[in-house]
Amino acid sequence: MPELALRVNGEQRSLEVEDRTLLVHALRDGLGLTGTHVGCDTSQCGACTVLLDGRAVKSCTLLALQAEAAEVTTIEGLATDGELHPVQRAFVEHHGLQCGYCTPGMILTAIDVLARDPRPDDATVRHALRGNLCRCTGYQPIVEAIRAAGGTPP
Amino acid sequence: MTDAIGVPRPRLDAPDKVTGATRYAADGWVHGLLHARLVLSTEAHALLRGIDRDAALAVDGVVAVLTAADLPLAASGRDRTAEPLAGEEVVFAGQPVALVVAESEAAAEDGAEAVLVDYEPLDAILDLQEAMRPGAPLARRAEGGPEGPDLGSVHATVDRGQEAEDGEQLSGNVLDVVTRRAGDVAAALRASDAVVSATFRTPWVYQAYIEPQACTAWLEPGGTLVVSTSTQGAFATRNEVARAFDLPLDRVRVVAEPLGGAFGGKFALVEPLAAGAALALRRAVRLVFTRSEDFLATNPVSAQVTELTVGARKDGTLTALSARMLVDRGTNAGWGLEGTTSLLVAGPYRWEAHDVRGYGVQTNRVTFGAYRGPGAPTAAFALESLLDELAEKLRLDPLELRLRNAVVEGDTGIAGRPFPVIGTVEVLERVREHPLWTERASLPEGEGIGVAAGYWPGAVEPAAAVCRVDRDGTMTVVTSAVDMSGTDTTFAAIAAAAFGLPVEKVRVVAADTSAGHYAGASGGSKVTYTVGTAVLRAAEAARAKLLAAASAELEIAPGDLEVEDGVVRAIGAPERSLTVEELAARALRFGGRHEPIEGLGGSAQARGAPSVAAHLAHVRVDRETGEIELVRHVIVQDVGRALNPALVEGQMRGGTVQGMGWALYEELAHDEVGSLATGSFLDYAIPTAERVPEIETVIVEVPAPDGPFGAKGIGEAPVVAVAPAIANAVAAAVGVRLRQLPMTAPRVWTALRDAGSPASGT
Amino acid sequence: MIPAPLRYVRASSLDEALEALAEPDARALAGGQSLVSILKLRVVRPSVVVDIGRLDLRGVESGDGELRIGALTTWAELASAPELAGPALAAVAECAASIGDLQVRNRGTIGGSLAHVDPASDMPAVMLALGARVVLRSAAAQRELEVGDFFVGPFTTTLGEHELVTEVVLPVPAPGSGSAYRSVEHPASGFALAGAAALVGPDGARAVGVTGIASVPRRLPDGVDPESALEGIDVYGDRFAPAEYRRELARVVVERALASAASRAQGERE
């Protein structure tokens, strides 16, 4: 079985994968990083979103081997020394979650959105969340959390 | 104490959820775990002639291919607990017929593909109205007669029919008829100044929780079957698993893992499959549904046809309601929604006479299940649409019409029981003064505002809880209630307020069935009301223990002591005090002189607490494409008491957006042979962030007499009347009435064209 | 959910890629947004998947009145490319910014999409209206084709078995031109129920490409009024959107795309 070597959450990791293994399964089963979730099989729900070389991607729509030598950030890699990342803190403070299953994907997409523009308007954020489905919140507190994290007052 | 209640606070589990620390049902590591994949029927109705496992067993990594005969099933019946895998007869396309168990998920999937199933197709009955006619093919063959199963079933394939009480001829597919009648409807309608009638159709709708169903089961060395699962009810699941395999209750331990959404769809459906495999193989088995499997083989809520007639006098008094409600059950013979929907079609209004009949009809589709307020959105779509039409005919304000007839406490509902405290009037009055309603006449062409109201009766079930103070002066609340809507966070607030601790010092644990205290499944809008009351009483009982200990230590009568912010003080002499931590430390140690500071509380309310939610929808219709844009939305709801406004608003918004899905997007469509045609998120559209507006929430508080601090269950009412509010707004905007959900762009366009819309280009 | 067993090969040069693609039943993997999706559903089962994602086929170069876009340029890169700013080529960025979703746009490539030619995908309509060409490389040769000759049927192009799309060539429209893309999306998949791209020249000349309504995206005959042009198309219908509705949608999006392109041509701010 091929060996995949990549950086995950700032650490060099290496693990055995099958040629056909999806990146999401490599992260969850191979590295025990279960914060990245599987919610569908048609690449729409976004629960599996991670950052690949700084950009939000759906880890269910990549073969793990496509990520060779890449830099991957999962939800587990955001907090530093027990301090929540600003986007994580904003989701808590603005009630941007209920069941939490879509939340890791939402947060990682949010980081990509805010990296392009720290002060997006409501419509821009909603458009950017097209690939992240939530069934619990109705999206509004998620949009508020993302804008607040970037510095837009509620 | 006032600080804990009524304050918006983040959920207790939010930090874990935003860091990915929460372990959902598919996440935990289990030693020696095997993985399962389902083989699902491709036929809507067939005899299962044989299953060829050879090719599947030859796949590298496959350990077993299990059929019904391989599971130690012991329950009788044809429900999905007794028959988790099809026996002789397959009754819906997507029904599980085999379970492939392997060393990896990939191998299980490879194996499942290789299983060959031999079906002998039978006539499938798919149309709801056809299914009711005498002579219709039966969706499920009757059980065998004295000649034995085969001959009996041959005789019973074509239905002999049955007769309802008034001579109505019905097929054997009609499993239940509910009749509710009072007064002389015909006379009342004749005496009405306006009568309107129409037929409304709603589709099969999928709960679409983002976490697919998932369950892991294994046998502990001592023989206990452990079931770790994504479920709404630990004890309910334990009952079903025990029943499936005829196990004593204490040999089954159900652990309810953090729930990734459920909305009614996760009630003991999948556990018998994983548990059966674990028992058969004596190995740990994990079954995680793929989204495709979840679309096909779980339990969405079902289609309904409602023929409704309502009448009123010219002053707006509602006179009579007559309804015939056909409710598709799919192949669920165990229970139906015809009772609930036939009750809720009357809405929160008074009627002088009514005649409602609900039919539960089986067809060759998946077993239906519950979805947030089951039976309510379908009924409200019909009623609230027709109320607007009545108002139009009588030239009355549609909100005034509703207010004139709004039920108050003591009014008799059509089930013959008086309504308890209910905030219909308070809610509608708040809607009436909202600017979105008052300024609705001044909108541009193609835009309109619609109003609708709905309610959910709430439910009751006995519950128990314990509040335990630990040596550090913090409190642990123990229930077994599954936290679906943030209820754990509410329990902490209730316990903190009732006991006298800062809320930060309270944690909540949902224990498994071996150690937890009884709670019914989460659903029905009752957890805060029932379990919350048990928590309140448990906190009060613990407080009594605290005061007994303090009384002994301080030599002051308990009645002269107060507890605030974790400190017990003498009333009027605050310098005589002890902290909760000090008292706990004196109790919880070798030779301690006080009982542990723990309290048990229970609840068994006699009546539920209904919640009313009304909606104002502002829509803009693109006449050329038929697309409906949701511009703005307001929900006004009577919540009893908002113990945590952030959580309450979360339910209000979340339910509203699900209602928007009902209104505009969601339909599980089948093809002509009963296969699901919309079996993925590529075809089945749930609302996205782009397609829903900001939703303004208006909380009205009419305290529930039997709820903790006046609170009650509020999770389902928000979804009920969204679709008719939007339908009424579309009528206001472009003058067409849609009577079928969802109101997709093609349907709106067709309705406009048929109405001769100037922009339709024909 | 999980692809059928396959062999993965990572190409570090174009020649290596073409050699690997010569194996029977091999498929090229670019961004993977189309291919990995159908691998997971086991709709296709190639024996070899050749990852061309690291080849140097990205970026936009301008020269000689044309833009040369590397086949591996992503939608996100196209949506923000300065060479595509301005009214004449506005349809490209406008379309690229609305394809799929943010995650898809970070990975999906123009070459991959054109080679896949889903009958309801958006960018083919824009390429048709703008008169784009694809550059196809094989081990032995290189050729260029008008996209209209490249797209031949549903998910079918004239790409040879051992060829790769390496570039997309866009003629830069004359100054005073404007272009636009409009579509009505299926609310679930986001694919076009009907999509139209329009290019309006300084002299009012119009070119229109449509997608979502037939077995393959196509350019409407130039100089024919759109409504008549659409009449000549056998419009597809399904349970959700019947043919007569789609035909009407097509008329509407063509009209809207033309109106937007025309106002951009006139330098008007919309």
Side-chain angles (χ1 to χ4, degrees), chain B residues 43 46-52 88 90 97 115-121:
Chain B
E43 297 287 326
L47 293 176
L48 197 52
R49 283 301 184 208
I51 296 184
D52 182 346
E88 290 173 347
V90 160
V97 300
V115 172
L116 297 171
V117 185
D118 186 17
Y119 300 101
E120 184 184 309

Side-chain angles (χ1 to χ4, degrees), chain C residues 106-129:
Chain C
N106 279 333
R107 293 286 307 170
T109 66
I110 186 167
S113 168
L114 297 184
H116 186 61
V117 73
D118 186 314
S121 59
D122 303 287
M123 193 55 79
V126 176
M127 296 293 106
L128 285 162

Side-chain angles (χ1 to χ4, degrees), chain B residues 109-110 113 624-625 753, chain C residues 1 42 45 244-245 256:
Chain B
E109 195 163 322
D110 294 341
E113 263 201 318
E624 289 191 307
T625 65
R753 184 202 55 190
Chain C
M1 177 73 222
R42 301 197 177 200
R45 296 158 195 260
E244 59 170 353
Y245 172 70
R256 293 180 181 180

